[in-house]
Amino acid sequence: MSLKVLLTNVFAGCWLLCMFCLTTDALSLYSNLNGPLKHACCVKYTRTPLHFNQIKGFAEQSSREVCRIDAIIFLTKRNQKVCATAKDEWVRNILARLGSKMKKMSQQPHNKVNHTPTWRTSTNV
């Protein structure tokens, strides 16, 4: 093999490797900032009821956005995320209790309200 062919092959291989690295970096940056990979979607529901005292907050997942199913995502005091359906009675009861607790806390003038855009927590409000 001549020196010219060898250099051409090495150059082409390096160029392809650099293009591959740039593409994967760009894809991972896109998914971290804008893409659906930044979301951890619920794909199934728990049927085991949680105790109200275990729950720190919750978020709603909509099937009209990135994820495939509607879900309530409870955040526990151990920072675990538990997926549940609003069709279950125990979920509706917990949401009602959290709502009334948040309403009581927001009516007290000496409490500072701290809103977070994603999670609604009874300890942050």
Side-chain angles (χ1 to χ4, degrees):
M1 197 174 345
S2 71
L3 184 59
K4 184 177 178 181
V5 172
L6 181 63
L7 287 175
T8 303
N9 287 339
V10 169
F11 176 74
C14 288
W15 184 82
L16 286 172
L17 183 62
C18 288
M19 289 297 112
F20 177 75
C21 291
L22 290 173
T23 304
T24 55
D25 285 346
L27 286 175
S28 68
L29 180 63
Y30 174 78
S31 67
N32 287 338
L33 297 177
N34 303 319
L37 295 178
K38 75 175 186 172
H39 290 278
C41 294
C42 293
V43 293
K44 62 181 180 176
Y45 306 119
T46 184
R47 296 295 179 193
T48 307
L50 296 175
H51 193 274
F52 181 75
N53 293 334
Q54 293 177 289
I55 297 171
K56 185 161 84 170
F58 73 97
E60 297 178 47
Q61 172 182 298
S62 174
S63 62
R64 289 174 267 151
E65 295 173 3
V66 176
C67 303
R68 293 183 180 204
I69 62 172
D70 292 325
I72 302 298
I73 307 169
F74 288 113
L75 181 65
T76 68
K77 290 183 178 176
R78 294 184 180 200
N79 288 325
Q80 294 177 323
K81 294 176 184 175
V82 179
C83 302
T85 177
K87 294 177 182 177
D88 286 345
E89 186 178 354
W90 70 269
V91 175
R92 291 193 306 272
N93 290 339
I94 288 177
L95 292 176
R97 286 182 70 182
L98 284 172
S100 66
K101 187 174 181 179
M102 289 169 57
K103 186 176 179 182
K104 279 184 197 176
M105 294 175 80
S106 67
Q107 290 173 348
Q108 296 174 356
H110 62 277
N111 280 347
K112 182 180 177 183
V113 177
N114 181 14
H115 294 284
T116 56
T118 304
W119 293 100
R120 296 181 207 130
T121 64
S122 57
T123 56
N124 287 354
V125 179

